[in-house]
Amino acid sequence: MPLTRVELRGFRNIERAGVDLGASITVIHGANGAGKTNLLEAIHFALTGGSCRTRNDREMIAFGAPAARAEVTLENSDGRSRYTASIARSGERRIDCDGPAAASSERPPVGVFLPDRLVLIKGAPAERRTHLDRLVAAIWPARAELRRRFGRALAQRNALLARIRSGDGDAQALAAWDGAFARQALAVIEARREATDAVTAPFAALSRELGLEPAAELRYRPRIDATSAEEIEAELAERRDEDLARGYSAHGPQADELVLEFGGRALRRYGSQGQQRLALLALLLAERQALIDRRDVVPLMLLDDVTSELDLEHRRLLVERLHGAGQAVITATEASQIPVQTGLQLVAAGELQQPQAPPASAAAA
């Protein structure tokens, strides 16, 4: 369901703006500081209810504004739907939707490339686990609760371990919690493995297509190699004394890793900034392909400063891959950085800011 328009108010450095989006690729071009990245963030906020740049959503509120608000309009043959998200300085958040798509929950999944998101490549394993679990939920919506269920089982087991360690718990009760932990852990491991398998081949192909040679590699490295809940329970029993000594669970999918390598070495440690950026882009495009293949759903791609590490030929390949399959919004300092394609829509960043409408009394005067 295509996005046709985005509107924002009091959003970072943008007082008021509205932009019509093309059916294929929209390029927002202009000088640094003009609000291009903020527009992408606003689209993400309206569709998901959260920022793609910060964990503190109140940072989105413009100085002097009481709240930040973003709204996107989606249209198809069934009609028009709007999704609106706002965050106030008090922390109060509102998410509203209306229209036929709102009733059927057909808002598109979103893929985001931001330079800030290199933390996915360079950061701690927890960043990649979270990203992998979000991919699981996107490909298989019925599995969206797996991470939360496992997190609850882990928290309950850890709480009991801490009580036992302090002398206030019954060690015999731990066996019952091990069973619940093992069942939820197995479901998470299986889902993560399947999601990784879905993107491994396209990730390698896309990384080579974008200029990484040899191709980058992706693999899932679970902390537990067991293939059944019973095997996981047995492993937990073997490590029970160690967990009791620590007061928390050290063995399980909470310690899994998603490994990205280039030339047989870890990208997070040995990859250059340019190689890491290309690997991140290849990963997002591979996930996009997995969604198309498995759900026949094309995610909306929000790509910020994506061409800075690409030569002209690889820019052309990127645009060709994006063109004609879903929508993409791309930012660039110069419009010429994006190879021209039929249906490409250009928006100058200088046009983002719109003056506030005068009060009715002033307009009448």
Short mmCIF file of all heavy atoms in Angstrom, two decimals, residues 75-114:
data_model
loop_
_atom_site.label_atom_id
_atom_site.label_comp_id
_atom_site.label_asym_id
_atom_site.label_seq_id
_atom_site.Cartn_x
_atom_site.Cartn_y
_atom_site.Cartn_z
N GLU A 75 -2.50 5.14 0.27
CA GLU A 75 -3.66 5.04 -0.61
C GLU A 75 -3.56 3.80 -1.49
O GLU A 75 -2.47 3.43 -1.95
CB GLU A 75 -3.77 6.28 -1.50
CG GLU A 75 -4.10 7.56 -0.73
CD GLU A 75 -4.42 8.71 -1.67
OE1 GLU A 75 -5.07 8.46 -2.70
OE2 GLU A 75 -4.01 9.84 -1.37
N ASN A 76 -4.72 3.17 -1.71
CA ASN A 76 -4.84 2.14 -2.75
C ASN A 76 -6.27 2.13 -3.24
O ASN A 76 -7.04 3.05 -2.94
CB ASN A 76 -4.38 0.77 -2.23
CG ASN A 76 -5.32 0.20 -1.18
OD1 ASN A 76 -6.36 0.79 -0.86
ND2 ASN A 76 -4.97 -0.94 -0.64
N SER A 77 -6.64 1.12 -3.98
CA SER A 77 -7.98 1.09 -4.58
C SER A 77 -9.08 1.03 -3.53
O SER A 77 -10.23 1.38 -3.82
CB SER A 77 -8.09 -0.10 -5.53
OG SER A 77 -7.83 -1.32 -4.84
N ASP A 78 -8.74 0.59 -2.31
CA ASP A 78 -9.75 0.50 -1.25
C ASP A 78 -9.98 1.82 -0.54
O ASP A 78 -10.91 1.95 0.25
CB ASP A 78 -9.34 -0.56 -0.22
CG ASP A 78 -9.33 -1.95 -0.82
OD1 ASP A 78 -10.13 -2.19 -1.75
OD2 ASP A 78 -8.52 -2.78 -0.38
N GLY A 79 -9.11 2.79 -0.77
CA GLY A 79 -9.29 4.08 -0.12
C GLY A 79 -8.02 4.61 0.49
O GLY A 79 -6.92 4.14 0.21
N ARG A 80 -8.19 5.58 1.36
CA ARG A 80 -7.08 6.29 1.98
C ARG A 80 -7.03 6.01 3.47
O ARG A 80 -8.06 5.98 4.13
CB ARG A 80 -7.24 7.79 1.73
CG ARG A 80 -6.22 8.67 2.43
CD ARG A 80 -6.50 10.13 2.16
NE ARG A 80 -6.40 10.43 0.73
CZ ARG A 80 -6.72 11.62 0.20
NH1 ARG A 80 -7.17 12.58 0.97
NH2 ARG A 80 -6.58 11.82 -1.10
N SER A 81 -5.83 5.81 3.98
CA SER A 81 -5.63 5.59 5.42
C SER A 81 -4.53 6.52 5.90
O SER A 81 -3.61 6.86 5.16
CB SER A 81 -5.24 4.14 5.71
OG SER A 81 -6.25 3.25 5.29
N ARG A 82 -4.63 6.91 7.17
CA ARG A 82 -3.61 7.76 7.77
C ARG A 82 -3.10 7.16 9.07
O ARG A 82 -3.89 6.62 9.86
CB ARG A 82 -4.18 9.16 8.04
CG ARG A 82 -4.48 9.98 6.81
CD ARG A 82 -4.88 11.41 7.18
NE ARG A 82 -5.10 12.23 6.00
CZ ARG A 82 -6.28 12.35 5.39
NH1 ARG A 82 -7.33 11.68 5.85
NH2 ARG A 82 -6.40 13.11 4.32
N TYR A 83 -1.81 7.27 9.26
CA TYR A 83 -1.18 6.86 10.51
C TYR A 83 -0.49 8.09 11.10
O TYR A 83 0.27 8.77 10.41
CB TYR A 83 -0.14 5.75 10.27
CG TYR A 83 -0.75 4.45 9.84
CD1 TYR A 83 -0.93 4.16 8.49
CD2 TYR A 83 -1.14 3.51 10.78
CE1 TYR A 83 -1.50 2.96 8.10
CE2 TYR A 83 -1.71 2.30 10.39
CZ TYR A 83 -1.88 2.04 9.05
OH TYR A 83 -2.44 0.85 8.65
N THR A 84 -0.78 8.35 12.36
CA THR A 84 -0.24 9.53 13.03
C THR A 84 0.39 9.12 14.35
O THR A 84 -0.18 8.31 15.10
CB THR A 84 -1.35 10.57 13.30
OG1 THR A 84 -2.02 10.87 12.08
CG2 THR A 84 -0.76 11.84 13.90
N ALA A 85 1.57 9.66 14.63
CA ALA A 85 2.23 9.44 15.91
C ALA A 85 2.69 10.78 16.46
O ALA A 85 3.11 11.66 15.70
CB ALA A 85 3.43 8.50 15.76
N SER A 86 2.59 10.94 17.78
CA SER A 86 3.06 12.17 18.41
C SER A 86 3.68 11.84 19.76
O SER A 86 3.32 10.84 20.40
CB SER A 86 1.93 13.18 18.59
OG SER A 86 0.93 12.66 19.47
N ILE A 87 4.62 12.67 20.17
CA ILE A 87 5.26 12.53 21.47
C ILE A 87 5.34 13.91 22.10
O ILE A 87 5.79 14.86 21.46
CB ILE A 87 6.66 11.88 21.34
CG1 ILE A 87 7.33 11.73 22.70
CG2 ILE A 87 7.56 12.65 20.40
CD1 ILE A 87 6.78 10.63 23.55
N ALA A 88 4.85 14.04 23.34
CA ALA A 88 4.85 15.31 24.04
C ALA A 88 6.06 15.39 24.98
O ALA A 88 6.68 14.38 25.31
CB ALA A 88 3.56 15.48 24.83
N ARG A 89 6.37 16.60 25.43
CA ARG A 89 7.50 16.77 26.34
C ARG A 89 7.28 16.03 27.65
O ARG A 89 8.23 15.65 28.33
CB ARG A 89 7.74 18.25 26.61
CG ARG A 89 8.27 18.99 25.40
CD ARG A 89 8.99 20.26 25.75
NE ARG A 89 9.54 20.86 24.53
CZ ARG A 89 10.67 20.52 23.98
NH1 ARG A 89 11.41 19.56 24.54
NH2 ARG A 89 11.11 21.11 22.88
N SER A 90 6.03 15.82 28.01
CA SER A 90 5.72 15.07 29.22
C SER A 90 6.03 13.59 29.07
O SER A 90 6.04 12.84 30.05
CB SER A 90 4.24 15.23 29.57
OG SER A 90 3.43 14.66 28.55
N GLY A 91 6.29 13.16 27.83
CA GLY A 91 6.50 11.75 27.55
C GLY A 91 5.25 11.05 27.05
O GLY A 91 5.32 9.89 26.65
N GLU A 92 4.12 11.75 27.07
CA GLU A 92 2.87 11.14 26.59
C GLU A 92 2.96 10.88 25.09
O GLU A 92 3.34 11.75 24.32
CB GLU A 92 1.69 12.06 26.88
CG GLU A 92 0.35 11.50 26.40
CD GLU A 92 -0.80 12.47 26.59
OE1 GLU A 92 -0.55 13.59 27.09
OE2 GLU A 92 -1.93 12.11 26.25
N ARG A 93 2.60 9.70 24.70
CA ARG A 93 2.68 9.28 23.30
C ARG A 93 1.28 8.94 22.79
O ARG A 93 0.48 8.31 23.49
CB ARG A 93 3.58 8.05 23.18
CG ARG A 93 3.78 7.54 21.77
CD ARG A 93 4.40 6.15 21.81
NE ARG A 93 5.57 6.14 22.65
CZ ARG A 93 6.81 6.38 22.22
NH1 ARG A 93 7.00 6.67 20.95
NH2 ARG A 93 7.82 6.34 23.05
N ARG A 94 0.98 9.36 21.58
CA ARG A 94 -0.30 9.02 20.96
C ARG A 94 -0.03 8.43 19.58
O ARG A 94 0.79 8.95 18.81
CB ARG A 94 -1.19 10.26 20.81
CG ARG A 94 -1.72 10.81 22.11
CD ARG A 94 -2.84 11.80 21.86
NE ARG A 94 -3.96 11.17 21.15
CZ ARG A 94 -5.06 11.84 20.76
NH1 ARG A 94 -5.16 13.14 20.99
NH2 ARG A 94 -6.03 11.20 20.14
N ILE A 95 -0.72 7.33 19.29
CA ILE A 95 -0.63 6.69 17.98
C ILE A 95 -2.05 6.48 17.48
O ILE A 95 -2.86 5.81 18.14
CB ILE A 95 0.12 5.34 18.07
CG1 ILE A 95 1.54 5.57 18.59
CG2 ILE A 95 0.15 4.66 16.71
CD1 ILE A 95 2.30 4.30 18.83
N ASP A 96 -2.38 7.09 16.36
CA ASP A 96 -3.73 7.02 15.81
C ASP A 96 -3.68 6.50 14.39
O ASP A 96 -2.70 6.73 13.65
CB ASP A 96 -4.40 8.40 15.83
CG ASP A 96 -4.51 8.97 17.22
OD1 ASP A 96 -5.11 8.30 18.09
OD2 ASP A 96 -3.99 10.08 17.45
N CYS A 97 -4.74 5.82 13.97
CA CYS A 97 -4.84 5.38 12.59
C CYS A 97 -6.31 5.34 12.20
O CYS A 97 -7.19 5.08 13.03
CB CYS A 97 -4.21 4.01 12.39
SG CYS A 97 -4.72 2.75 13.57
N ASP A 98 -6.58 5.64 10.94
CA ASP A 98 -7.94 5.55 10.45
C ASP A 98 -7.91 5.20 8.98
O ASP A 98 -6.93 5.49 8.28
CB ASP A 98 -8.69 6.88 10.66
CG ASP A 98 -8.08 8.01 9.85
OD1 ASP A 98 -8.44 8.13 8.67
OD2 ASP A 98 -7.25 8.77 10.38
N GLY A 99 -8.99 4.55 8.53
CA GLY A 99 -9.07 4.16 7.13
C GLY A 99 -9.04 2.66 6.96
O GLY A 99 -8.83 1.91 7.91
N PRO A 100 -9.24 2.17 5.73
CA PRO A 100 -9.31 0.72 5.49
C PRO A 100 -8.04 -0.03 5.84
O PRO A 100 -8.09 -1.16 6.31
CB PRO A 100 -9.61 0.62 3.98
CG PRO A 100 -9.20 1.95 3.42
CD PRO A 100 -9.46 2.95 4.49
N ALA A 101 -6.88 0.57 5.62
CA ALA A 101 -5.64 -0.14 5.94
C ALA A 101 -5.47 -0.24 7.44
O ALA A 101 -4.88 -1.19 7.95
CB ALA A 101 -4.44 0.58 5.34
N ALA A 102 -5.98 0.74 8.18
CA ALA A 102 -5.86 0.70 9.63
C ALA A 102 -6.58 -0.51 10.19
O ALA A 102 -6.10 -1.19 11.10
CB ALA A 102 -6.43 1.97 10.24
N ALA A 103 -7.75 -0.82 9.59
CA ALA A 103 -8.52 -1.95 10.09
C ALA A 103 -7.84 -3.27 9.79
O ALA A 103 -7.96 -4.24 10.54
CB ALA A 103 -9.92 -1.93 9.48
N SER A 104 -7.09 -3.33 8.69
CA SER A 104 -6.49 -4.60 8.29
C SER A 104 -5.00 -4.68 8.60
O SER A 104 -4.33 -5.64 8.21
CB SER A 104 -6.70 -4.82 6.79
OG SER A 104 -6.15 -3.75 6.06
N SER A 105 -4.48 -3.67 9.30
CA SER A 105 -3.07 -3.65 9.74
C SER A 105 -2.12 -3.87 8.56
O SER A 105 -1.21 -4.68 8.61
CB SER A 105 -2.83 -4.72 10.81
OG SER A 105 -3.65 -4.50 11.93
N GLU A 106 -2.35 -3.12 7.48
CA GLU A 106 -1.56 -3.30 6.27
C GLU A 106 -0.48 -2.24 6.09
O GLU A 106 -0.03 -2.00 4.98
CB GLU A 106 -2.47 -3.33 5.04
CG GLU A 106 -3.31 -4.59 4.96
CD GLU A 106 -4.13 -4.66 3.68
OE1 GLU A 106 -4.08 -3.70 2.89
OE2 GLU A 106 -4.80 -5.67 3.48
N ARG A 107 -0.06 -1.61 7.17
CA ARG A 107 1.04 -0.65 7.02
C ARG A 107 2.30 -1.42 6.61
O ARG A 107 2.53 -2.55 7.05
CB ARG A 107 1.26 0.14 8.31
CG ARG A 107 1.93 -0.64 9.41
CD ARG A 107 1.99 0.19 10.69
NE ARG A 107 0.73 0.14 11.38
CZ ARG A 107 0.45 0.86 12.47
NH1 ARG A 107 1.36 1.69 12.95
NH2 ARG A 107 -0.71 0.77 13.05
N PRO A 108 3.11 -0.84 5.76
CA PRO A 108 4.27 -1.58 5.25
C PRO A 108 5.36 -1.72 6.30
O PRO A 108 5.56 -0.83 7.14
CB PRO A 108 4.74 -0.70 4.09
CG PRO A 108 4.33 0.68 4.48
CD PRO A 108 3.01 0.51 5.19
N PRO A 109 6.12 -2.82 6.27
CA PRO A 109 7.33 -2.88 7.09
C PRO A 109 8.32 -1.86 6.56
O PRO A 109 8.24 -1.42 5.41
CB PRO A 109 7.83 -4.31 6.90
CG PRO A 109 7.21 -4.78 5.63
CD PRO A 109 5.91 -4.04 5.48
N VAL A 110 9.27 -1.47 7.41
CA VAL A 110 10.19 -0.39 7.05
C VAL A 110 11.63 -0.87 7.21
O VAL A 110 12.00 -1.44 8.24
CB VAL A 110 9.97 0.85 7.95
CG1 VAL A 110 10.86 2.00 7.50
CG2 VAL A 110 8.50 1.27 7.93
N GLY A 111 12.45 -0.62 6.19
CA GLY A 111 13.88 -0.87 6.26
C GLY A 111 14.61 0.47 6.29
O GLY A 111 14.29 1.36 5.49
N VAL A 112 15.56 0.63 7.19
CA VAL A 112 16.20 1.94 7.39
C VAL A 112 17.71 1.80 7.27
O VAL A 112 18.33 0.98 7.96
CB VAL A 112 15.86 2.53 8.77
CG1 VAL A 112 16.48 3.91 8.92
CG2 VAL A 112 14.35 2.60 8.97
N PHE A 113 18.31 2.64 6.40
CA PHE A 113 19.76 2.76 6.34
C PHE A 113 20.12 4.16 6.80
O PHE A 113 19.76 5.16 6.16
CB PHE A 113 20.27 2.54 4.91
CG PHE A 113 21.76 2.76 4.77
CD1 PHE A 113 22.64 1.70 4.89
CD2 PHE A 113 22.27 4.03 4.54
CE1 PHE A 113 24.01 1.90 4.76
CE2 PHE A 113 23.63 4.24 4.41
CZ PHE A 113 24.51 3.18 4.53
N LEU A 114 20.80 4.25 7.92
CA LEU A 114 21.32 5.52 8.44
C LEU A 114 22.78 5.30 8.81
O LEU A 114 23.14 4.23 9.31
CB LEU A 114 20.57 5.97 9.69
CG LEU A 114 19.07 6.26 9.60
CD1 LEU A 114 18.52 6.50 11.00
CD2 LEU A 114 18.83 7.49 8.74
#
